[in-house]
Each structure stands twice: as C-alpha cells, then as structure tokens.
Amino acid sequence: MPKSRKIVFFFPSFASSDATAPLGILAVATPLIRAGYQVVLIDSTITPNYKQRVLEEVSDALCLGISLVTGPMIRETVEIAKAIKARNPEFPIVLGGWHPSLLPRQTLQAPYIDYVVCGQGEESFLELVIHIENQSSPDFVAGIGFKRDNKLTFTPERILKPIAEQPPKAYQLADFDAYERMCGKRWAMYTSSLACPFDCAYCTNGAVYKRKWNALSAEQFVEETVDLSRRYNLSMLWIVDDNFLVDLDRARAISEGLVRAGAEFQWSIQATTNLTSRLSLGDLKLLRRSGLHQICQGVDSGSPKILKAMNKTFQNFEDIYESAARCLAAGMRPSFNIIFAYPGEGSKERRETMNFIMDVCRRFPGTEFWTNIFTPYPGTNVMNRAEELGIEVPDSLEKWAEFFPRYTKLPWLNGKDHEELQIMRDYLRIAFDRIPIGVDRRTRITRLAQKCISFPARFRLDHGLYRLPAELWLNDKLKERTAGFKPVVDARRLEPNPEPAEVAC
C-alpha cells in the first residue's frame, strides 16, 4: 500500500463568538500543499464532535500538527494528544505556535508530544514532515525539538525570514461559511508585517521576532487583500500586525492603492499611540476612505508610574486625546487597550487609569476601551522577575492551561481586590456602547434596557461603588434574551466566563 501523505491540523478553541481561520496553520499549510501533501484542518470552535473527527482523520495520516498560544487552548490540545496516544502510542504529534516557541523544552517534556517547531514554521514543519514520512532522523532540520531514546534534542535556531519571502496563506482551507454562522460576519485575519520596534515589558514579541520589524510592500498588501476579500466574500479584515504604522509612507500608499482598486471591505489595525499620533486628519480621512474603520492602540495604563514600569516612556497622554479626536473627526473608531494589575499598580494608580478612561469616553463618545488583567506570559521581560514578584510559574504544559487573564489571581491581586476589579471591569462593559466583531443580535428593547443601566454603571465607576451590583444581574438577564438569537454551534466555550476578556466603551 502507498504511504499516506495526509497531514492533519487541529486548532483548539480560542474564542467562540468571534472565531475565524487560524493564520498560523494556514501559513504552515501552504508549503505542504505545494509539496503534494493532503492537508486537513479541524477547528474545534466550528467542528461538531471535534475529538471524534480528529481521531478519525489521524487514523490514516502521517502526523498531527497543533498550533497554540499560552492559555486555555492547551486544555483541548492535551485532551486530543492523550486520546490519540491511547489508540496509537507511536503516532507523531507536533506542536507549534507561540507557546511551544517560548517554552520548547517544557512543552516537549510532555509524554504525549513528539516534536515542537519553534518560531517561523513554514520551512521547519515541511522538512520535519518529510523526515517523518521517510522515517529518517530530523537532526538537520533547523528550529525544532524532538525525542530520541527518551532524551530531548533541539536543533539550531532557524534564521527568521522577512515576511515578503514567506508563501501566501492557504485561505482555501478555511470554512468561512461555518465561521459566519458562528459570529454572523464573514471576516478573516491578515498579516502584513512582523515584529515591533518597541520593547514593552509585558510583550512576548521580542522573544520571537527580536523586534526586527519587516513588512510586505504596499502593492502586495493591496493585491492580496482585495483578492482575498472578493474570493471569499469577506466584509472585514483584521490586520494582525503588532504595529502597523511603523512606516507611515507605506500606510499612505496602502490607502491610496485600496481606493484605486475599489476595495469594498472594512479593515482594522493596531499600533502604538506614539505612531498613531503622527497621522494628520488628512491621513486619517484617506485611511477611512480606503475602508479602515478602527485603530486599536495600546494605552495600557492611565498612570505615568505604571507606564514607566512597562517601559512605555514613549507614550504621551496629550497625543492619545488628540488621536481620539482626529479618528472620530475622520469617521473612524478609536480603540484603546488597558492592562490592569501590572506589578506596582495600587488603588491610586488604578483610580488614575479609571479617571482617564471615563474622561476619554465622555469627551469623545464612540471611543472604545478594551481591558485585561495583567498576565505574566513566558518570554516577557517581567517574567525574569517571577520569583521576586511571587509568581508561581507553571512547571508543566498542562498547568499553563489555567494561566490566563480570566482565571489568574496574581499574588498582589487576590481575594477582595481581585473580585472588585472584576466587578469594575463588568461595569465598564455596560457603561458605554461596545461594537463587537460579530453581528449585534440584540432586540431594540434589549438595547434600550442596556442603555438605561449604563447611567448608574457610570455613576458607580466614577465613585468606586461596587457593592450589591444589581445592574450586572439585570444585564445578565438581558443577555439571556440575546442568547436565543445566537447560532447553536457544537463548540465548547471557555469556562468559567464565556464573555471576551476585554471591554469597550
């Protein structure tokens, strides 16, 4: 019988409500397809009975590849890997993505993992698959780890390639119909640049890309995104670059190109506030004409003390206010990210941040704030101080599944303080309107009722009053009305809190 040339990819659930195709897997799949391999993608978010489906597909496959980041995705990864090994202990399981790249040795120590691919996986995974197919030793495949005689072996690091030298993503593998049924909108992610020149202390980017920013040309961006949107009838693209606006001339050229091409999709970007502040009103209006409707900016804190601790001394609050004003004047939605409970933040610093959020939202209606509780991820500068800060670093792959903002109680944020911060974030969710990626399925009555409870929510936030949160109870009841309008998909939502960890206003 001929040997199988089928490769199965599994993508564990990351976010159910706003899910779309996993870029990492689509990137690694292209070289395999070009080399003649059959690729099967199973995303647990949109696949009913995903476990059984994976077990069926791997029965005649060469190997299973899983891409994941730190957090709850690990739970389904472990579940699938153990189930496969229970049936066939010799079947090869390969892990790639951010978590294995940041913690390759600990990841490979898991008894049910055979290989890890670190960093850019397009070439490494293809070369590894060829060795698996030929049953030969992969010692000369750069950028991987494997087991031999119960010992861990790691090959030299693979040199990072500029994004322009990487093959296009295999978007044809994505079931956009299923993703649309999930969130009510046809959209996809797209990467046009890699890395960020800044070194924020909480960010993992520098550990993988070494802060070496590189980008696709404006011409390639326009050609690929217009084709992608038309080929798959996409209404929106989320440009997942870490810092899109590093090259302002490139951003202008992209906008001009999209306008000339008659692009009909909306798109969103993220950038640091100091780079966004360079955009004039004319620049923003050009970007808006090209379809850009949202710029997500990492404010991260309203406290100068905490920003200094984050190594964000390049940030200027006056620029943030000006950015919000210009974006709204151009018909664009400004979004700002906030991280609560960073090491050193106390009640004073938290109050400074809350005052800043409330001031911006009132002065510039339509501005969004997305908030998170700080999580010290592997590969970040702050993790070098883990022992000093009292952070208990997980000592196995499985334990990292609980290391996530929705679950983590930090040594300096526990008990009553942790509970109060969560309630405060819940009030922020209802204090101002939020525009999700997916379709708003609320009825007019539900929207009106939630608008009414937004006013007492703002009063509570202004005065720090979080006892007896009746408005949150009422909002939960209102959300139950919306649940009946959402599509029923056999996918497991993250527990215990199914809502996104962010909030907008």
mmCIF file of all heavy atoms in Angstrom, residues 374-405:
data_model
loop_
_atom_site.group_PDB
_atom_site.id
_atom_site.type_symbol
_atom_site.label_atom_id
_atom_site.label_comp_id
_atom_site.label_asym_id
_atom_site.label_seq_id
_atom_site.Cartn_x
_atom_site.Cartn_y
_atom_site.Cartn_z
ATOM 1 N N PHE A 374 -3.570 41.863 33.937
ATOM 2 C CA PHE A 374 -2.204 41.508 33.553
ATOM 3 C C PHE A 374 -1.928 40.016 33.758
ATOM 4 O O PHE A 374 -2.277 39.435 34.782
ATOM 5 C CB PHE A 374 -1.202 42.316 34.381
ATOM 6 C CG PHE A 374 0.216 41.858 34.234
ATOM 7 C CD1 PHE A 374 0.911 42.085 33.053
ATOM 8 C CD2 PHE A 374 0.846 41.181 35.271
ATOM 9 C CE1 PHE A 374 2.210 41.648 32.916
ATOM 10 C CE2 PHE A 374 2.152 40.752 35.137
ATOM 11 C CZ PHE A 374 2.838 40.983 33.961
ATOM 12 N N THR A 375 -1.304 39.427 32.758
ATOM 13 C CA THR A 375 -0.839 38.051 32.856
ATOM 14 C C THR A 375 0.635 38.008 32.474
ATOM 15 O O THR A 375 1.007 38.443 31.379
ATOM 16 C CB THR A 375 -1.626 37.121 31.908
ATOM 17 O OG1 THR A 375 -3.010 37.180 32.262
ATOM 18 C CG2 THR A 375 -1.147 35.692 32.047
ATOM 19 N N PRO A 376 1.495 37.514 33.351
ATOM 20 C CA PRO A 376 2.935 37.451 33.053
ATOM 21 C C PRO A 376 3.256 36.247 32.163
ATOM 22 O O PRO A 376 3.555 35.157 32.644
ATOM 23 C CB PRO A 376 3.566 37.308 34.445
ATOM 24 C CG PRO A 376 2.515 36.640 35.266
ATOM 25 C CD PRO A 376 1.183 37.076 34.725
ATOM 26 N N TYR A 377 3.181 36.448 30.862
ATOM 27 C CA TYR A 377 3.405 35.356 29.924
ATOM 28 C C TYR A 377 4.885 34.981 29.831
ATOM 29 O O TYR A 377 5.763 35.820 30.045
ATOM 30 C CB TYR A 377 2.892 35.740 28.534
ATOM 31 C CG TYR A 377 1.394 35.655 28.396
ATOM 32 C CD1 TYR A 377 0.621 36.796 28.264
ATOM 33 C CD2 TYR A 377 0.751 34.420 28.409
ATOM 34 C CE1 TYR A 377 -0.756 36.715 28.130
ATOM 35 C CE2 TYR A 377 -0.625 34.328 28.279
ATOM 36 C CZ TYR A 377 -1.371 35.482 28.134
ATOM 37 O OH TYR A 377 -2.733 35.402 28.013
ATOM 38 N N PRO A 378 5.172 33.736 29.464
ATOM 39 C CA PRO A 378 6.571 33.337 29.245
ATOM 40 C C PRO A 378 7.173 34.144 28.110
ATOM 41 O O PRO A 378 6.495 34.528 27.160
ATOM 42 C CB PRO A 378 6.450 31.852 28.870
ATOM 43 C CG PRO A 378 5.044 31.671 28.404
ATOM 44 C CD PRO A 378 4.222 32.641 29.197
ATOM 45 N N GLY A 379 8.473 34.417 28.232
ATOM 46 C CA GLY A 379 9.167 35.170 27.188
ATOM 47 C C GLY A 379 9.139 36.665 27.368
ATOM 48 O O GLY A 379 9.780 37.383 26.608
ATOM 49 N N THR A 380 8.418 37.169 28.380
ATOM 50 C CA THR A 380 8.353 38.603 28.610
ATOM 51 C C THR A 380 9.423 39.032 29.610
ATOM 52 O O THR A 380 9.905 38.235 30.422
ATOM 53 C CB THR A 380 6.973 39.008 29.156
ATOM 54 O OG1 THR A 380 6.749 38.335 30.413
ATOM 55 C CG2 THR A 380 5.877 38.611 28.190
ATOM 56 N N ASN A 381 9.773 40.321 29.565
ATOM 57 C CA ASN A 381 10.779 40.838 30.484
ATOM 58 C C ASN A 381 10.364 40.666 31.939
ATOM 59 O O ASN A 381 11.184 40.380 32.816
ATOM 60 C CB ASN A 381 11.038 42.316 30.190
ATOM 61 C CG ASN A 381 11.688 42.539 28.840
ATOM 62 O OD1 ASN A 381 12.269 41.623 28.266
ATOM 63 N ND2 ASN A 381 11.597 43.757 28.320
ATOM 64 N N VAL A 382 9.085 40.853 32.204
ATOM 65 C CA VAL A 382 8.629 40.806 33.587
ATOM 66 C C VAL A 382 8.759 39.400 34.175
ATOM 67 O O VAL A 382 8.895 39.233 35.395
ATOM 68 C CB VAL A 382 7.170 41.309 33.687
ATOM 69 C CG1 VAL A 382 6.186 40.260 33.197
ATOM 70 C CG2 VAL A 382 6.838 41.732 35.115
ATOM 71 N N MET A 383 8.749 38.371 33.334
ATOM 72 C CA MET A 383 8.893 37.012 33.853
ATOM 73 C C MET A 383 10.286 36.750 34.414
ATOM 74 O O MET A 383 10.489 35.798 35.166
ATOM 75 C CB MET A 383 8.558 35.992 32.764
ATOM 76 C CG MET A 383 7.069 35.783 32.568
ATOM 77 S SD MET A 383 6.234 35.152 34.039
ATOM 78 C CE MET A 383 6.453 33.398 33.814
ATOM 79 N N ASN A 384 11.239 37.592 34.062
ATOM 80 C CA ASN A 384 12.567 37.473 34.661
ATOM 81 C C ASN A 384 12.538 37.812 36.146
ATOM 82 O O ASN A 384 13.477 37.477 36.881
ATOM 83 C CB ASN A 384 13.557 38.391 33.950
ATOM 84 C CG ASN A 384 13.750 38.011 32.492
ATOM 85 O OD1 ASN A 384 13.671 36.838 32.138
ATOM 86 N ND2 ASN A 384 14.000 38.998 31.640
ATOM 87 N N ARG A 385 11.456 38.458 36.584
ATOM 88 C CA ARG A 385 11.312 38.834 37.997
ATOM 89 C C ARG A 385 10.267 37.963 38.694
ATOM 90 O O ARG A 385 9.736 38.330 39.728
ATOM 91 C CB ARG A 385 10.887 40.300 38.095
ATOM 92 C CG ARG A 385 11.838 41.282 37.448
ATOM 93 C CD ARG A 385 11.208 42.663 37.373
ATOM 94 N NE ARG A 385 10.674 43.096 38.652
ATOM 95 C CZ ARG A 385 9.638 43.922 38.798
ATOM 96 N NH1 ARG A 385 9.022 44.393 37.721
ATOM 97 N NH2 ARG A 385 9.210 44.254 39.991
ATOM 98 N N ALA A 386 9.957 36.816 38.114
ATOM 99 C CA ALA A 386 8.867 35.985 38.629
ATOM 100 C C ALA A 386 9.042 35.645 40.105
ATOM 101 O O ALA A 386 8.109 35.790 40.905
ATOM 102 C CB ALA A 386 8.763 34.704 37.798
ATOM 103 N N GLU A 387 10.211 35.208 40.494
ATOM 104 C CA GLU A 387 10.434 34.822 41.898
ATOM 105 C C GLU A 387 10.282 36.018 42.818
ATOM 106 O O GLU A 387 9.653 35.944 43.873
ATOM 107 C CB GLU A 387 11.825 34.206 42.045
ATOM 108 C CG GLU A 387 12.110 33.673 43.443
ATOM 109 C CD GLU A 387 13.454 32.973 43.535
ATOM 110 O OE1 GLU A 387 14.110 32.761 42.488
ATOM 111 O OE2 GLU A 387 13.870 32.645 44.663
ATOM 112 N N GLU A 388 10.847 37.160 42.397
ATOM 113 C CA GLU A 388 10.752 38.389 43.187
ATOM 114 C C GLU A 388 9.301 38.824 43.376
ATOM 115 O O GLU A 388 8.905 39.289 44.454
ATOM 116 C CB GLU A 388 11.532 39.496 42.473
ATOM 117 C CG GLU A 388 11.326 40.889 43.034
ATOM 118 C CD GLU A 388 11.800 41.975 42.079
ATOM 119 O OE1 GLU A 388 12.602 41.667 41.167
ATOM 120 O OE2 GLU A 388 11.365 43.130 42.230
ATOM 121 N N LEU A 389 8.489 38.648 42.344
ATOM 122 C CA LEU A 389 7.098 39.082 42.386
ATOM 123 C C LEU A 389 6.164 38.049 43.014
ATOM 124 O O LEU A 389 4.971 38.326 43.194
ATOM 125 C CB LEU A 389 6.613 39.400 40.967
ATOM 126 C CG LEU A 389 7.294 40.586 40.275
ATOM 127 C CD1 LEU A 389 6.914 40.636 38.800
ATOM 128 C CD2 LEU A 389 6.921 41.890 40.965
ATOM 129 N N GLY A 390 6.685 36.892 43.320
ATOM 130 C CA GLY A 390 5.859 35.850 43.918
ATOM 131 C C GLY A 390 5.011 35.094 42.901
ATOM 132 O O GLY A 390 4.013 34.465 43.258
ATOM 133 N N ILE A 391 5.387 35.154 41.627
ATOM 134 C CA ILE A 391 4.643 34.452 40.584
ATOM 135 C C ILE A 391 5.028 32.976 40.591
ATOM 136 O O ILE A 391 6.208 32.640 40.480
ATOM 137 C CB ILE A 391 4.932 35.056 39.197
ATOM 138 C CG1 ILE A 391 4.514 36.530 39.163
ATOM 139 C CG2 ILE A 391 4.222 34.266 38.105
ATOM 140 C CD1 ILE A 391 4.985 37.264 37.929
ATOM 141 N N GLU A 392 4.051 32.122 40.698
ATOM 142 C CA GLU A 392 4.300 30.685 40.652
ATOM 143 C C GLU A 392 4.214 30.242 39.194
ATOM 144 O O GLU A 392 3.138 30.098 38.620
ATOM 145 C CB GLU A 392 3.268 29.933 41.497
ATOM 146 C CG GLU A 392 3.538 28.449 41.593
ATOM 147 C CD GLU A 392 2.548 27.748 42.507
ATOM 148 O OE1 GLU A 392 1.862 28.438 43.291
ATOM 149 O OE2 GLU A 392 2.465 26.507 42.423
ATOM 150 N N VAL A 393 5.360 30.034 38.588
ATOM 151 C CA VAL A 393 5.417 29.697 37.170
ATOM 152 C C VAL A 393 5.052 28.224 36.984
ATOM 153 O O VAL A 393 5.630 27.356 37.625
ATOM 154 C CB VAL A 393 6.822 29.964 36.598
ATOM 155 C CG1 VAL A 393 6.862 29.646 35.105
ATOM 156 C CG2 VAL A 393 7.228 31.413 36.843
ATOM 157 N N PRO A 394 4.082 27.913 36.124
ATOM 158 C CA PRO A 394 3.700 26.519 35.882
ATOM 159 C C PRO A 394 4.902 25.673 35.471
ATOM 160 O O PRO A 394 5.743 26.122 34.683
ATOM 161 C CB PRO A 394 2.676 26.619 34.756
ATOM 162 C CG PRO A 394 2.084 27.984 34.910
ATOM 163 C CD PRO A 394 3.220 28.848 35.365
ATOM 164 N N ASP A 395 4.974 24.456 36.007
ATOM 165 C CA ASP A 395 6.118 23.599 35.730
ATOM 166 C C ASP A 395 5.807 22.492 34.726
ATOM 167 O O ASP A 395 6.585 21.550 34.569
ATOM 168 C CB ASP A 395 6.646 22.974 37.029
ATOM 169 C CG ASP A 395 5.589 22.165 37.770
ATOM 170 O OD1 ASP A 395 4.476 21.974 37.228
ATOM 171 O OD2 ASP A 395 5.871 21.717 38.899
ATOM 172 N N SER A 396 4.665 22.592 34.048
ATOM 173 C CA SER A 396 4.328 21.603 33.024
ATOM 174 C C SER A 396 3.419 22.245 31.987
ATOM 175 O O SER A 396 2.799 23.284 32.242
ATOM 176 C CB SER A 396 3.628 20.394 33.642
ATOM 177 O OG SER A 396 2.324 20.737 34.086
ATOM 178 N N LEU A 397 3.328 21.616 30.836
ATOM 179 C CA LEU A 397 2.465 22.117 29.774
ATOM 180 C C LEU A 397 1.028 22.233 30.246
ATOM 181 O O LEU A 397 0.366 23.254 30.020
ATOM 182 C CB LEU A 397 2.547 21.192 28.557
ATOM 183 C CG LEU A 397 1.580 21.490 27.402
ATOM 184 C CD1 LEU A 397 1.876 22.843 26.778
ATOM 185 C CD2 LEU A 397 1.637 20.387 26.350
ATOM 186 N N GLU A 398 0.517 21.216 30.895
ATOM 187 C CA GLU A 398 -0.891 21.192 31.289
ATOM 188 C C GLU A 398 -1.249 22.315 32.245
ATOM 189 O O GLU A 398 -2.344 22.879 32.179
ATOM 190 C CB GLU A 398 -1.228 19.836 31.916
ATOM 191 C CG GLU A 398 -1.140 18.681 30.936
ATOM 192 C CD GLU A 398 -1.598 17.374 31.528
ATOM 193 O OE1 GLU A 398 -2.599 17.369 32.271
ATOM 194 O OE2 GLU A 398 -0.946 16.343 31.264
ATOM 195 N N LYS A 399 -0.340 22.679 33.136
ATOM 196 C CA LYS A 399 -0.652 23.700 34.126
ATOM 197 C C LYS A 399 -0.775 25.091 33.505
ATOM 198 O O LYS A 399 -1.410 25.977 34.080
ATOM 199 C CB LYS A 399 0.403 23.703 35.232
ATOM 200 C CG LYS A 399 0.339 22.463 36.118
ATOM 201 C CD LYS A 399 1.372 22.501 37.225
ATOM 202 C CE LYS A 399 1.294 21.245 38.094
ATOM 203 N NZ LYS A 399 2.327 21.238 39.153
ATOM 204 N N TRP A 400 -0.187 25.282 32.315
ATOM 205 C CA TRP A 400 -0.311 26.577 31.654
ATOM 206 C C TRP A 400 -1.724 26.825 31.152
ATOM 207 O O TRP A 400 -2.077 27.952 30.802
ATOM 208 C CB TRP A 400 0.675 26.682 30.482
ATOM 209 C CG TRP A 400 2.073 27.006 30.895
ATOM 210 C CD1 TRP A 400 3.117 26.132 30.991
ATOM 211 C CD2 TRP A 400 2.591 28.286 31.274
ATOM 212 N NE1 TRP A 400 4.261 26.788 31.406
ATOM 213 C CE2 TRP A 400 3.958 28.114 31.584
ATOM 214 C CE3 TRP A 400 2.032 29.558 31.372
ATOM 215 C CZ2 TRP A 400 4.768 29.175 31.978
ATOM 216 C CZ3 TRP A 400 2.836 30.612 31.778
ATOM 217 C CH2 TRP A 400 4.183 30.418 32.081
ATOM 218 N N ALA A 401 -2.539 25.792 31.078
ATOM 219 C CA ALA A 401 -3.912 25.965 30.597
ATOM 220 C C ALA A 401 -4.701 26.923 31.482
ATOM 221 O O ALA A 401 -5.631 27.594 31.020
ATOM 222 C CB ALA A 401 -4.621 24.615 30.531
ATOM 223 N N GLU A 402 -4.360 26.987 32.753
ATOM 224 C CA GLU A 402 -5.079 27.867 33.682
ATOM 225 C C GLU A 402 -4.423 29.240 33.809
ATOM 226 O O GLU A 402 -4.921 30.099 34.520
ATOM 227 C CB GLU A 402 -5.145 27.207 35.063
ATOM 228 C CG GLU A 402 -5.816 25.851 35.070
ATOM 229 C CD GLU A 402 -7.250 25.918 34.583
ATOM 230 O OE1 GLU A 402 -7.889 26.965 34.793
ATOM 231 O OE2 GLU A 402 -7.721 24.935 33.983
ATOM 232 N N PHE A 403 -3.306 29.430 33.131
ATOM 233 C CA PHE A 403 -2.556 30.672 33.276
ATOM 234 C C PHE A 403 -3.064 31.677 32.260
ATOM 235 O O PHE A 403 -2.486 31.889 31.210
ATOM 236 C CB PHE A 403 -1.074 30.389 33.047
ATOM 237 C CG PHE A 403 -0.160 31.345 33.753
ATOM 238 C CD1 PHE A 403 0.075 31.211 35.113
ATOM 239 C CD2 PHE A 403 0.478 32.369 33.080
ATOM 240 C CE1 PHE A 403 0.927 32.067 35.777
ATOM 241 C CE2 PHE A 403 1.329 33.240 33.731
ATOM 242 C CZ PHE A 403 1.550 33.086 35.088
ATOM 243 N N PHE A 404 -4.154 32.340 32.583
ATOM 244 C CA PHE A 404 -4.853 33.170 31.604
ATOM 245 C C PHE A 404 -5.588 34.272 32.341
ATOM 246 O O PHE A 404 -6.002 34.080 33.481
ATOM 247 C CB PHE A 404 -5.845 32.291 30.827
ATOM 248 C CG PHE A 404 -6.321 32.890 29.542
ATOM 249 C CD1 PHE A 404 -5.466 33.013 28.455
ATOM 250 C CD2 PHE A 404 -7.624 33.323 29.411
ATOM 251 C CE1 PHE A 404 -5.911 33.548 27.256
ATOM 252 C CE2 PHE A 404 -8.080 33.856 28.224
ATOM 253 C CZ PHE A 404 -7.221 33.972 27.141
ATOM 254 N N PRO A 405 -5.766 35.459 31.741
ATOM 255 C CA PRO A 405 -6.378 36.578 32.467
ATOM 256 C C PRO A 405 -7.721 36.273 33.107
ATOM 257 O O PRO A 405 -8.060 36.831 34.141
ATOM 258 C CB PRO A 405 -6.517 37.648 31.382
ATOM 259 C CG PRO A 405 -5.416 37.352 30.431
ATOM 260 C CD PRO A 405 -5.303 35.845 30.413
#
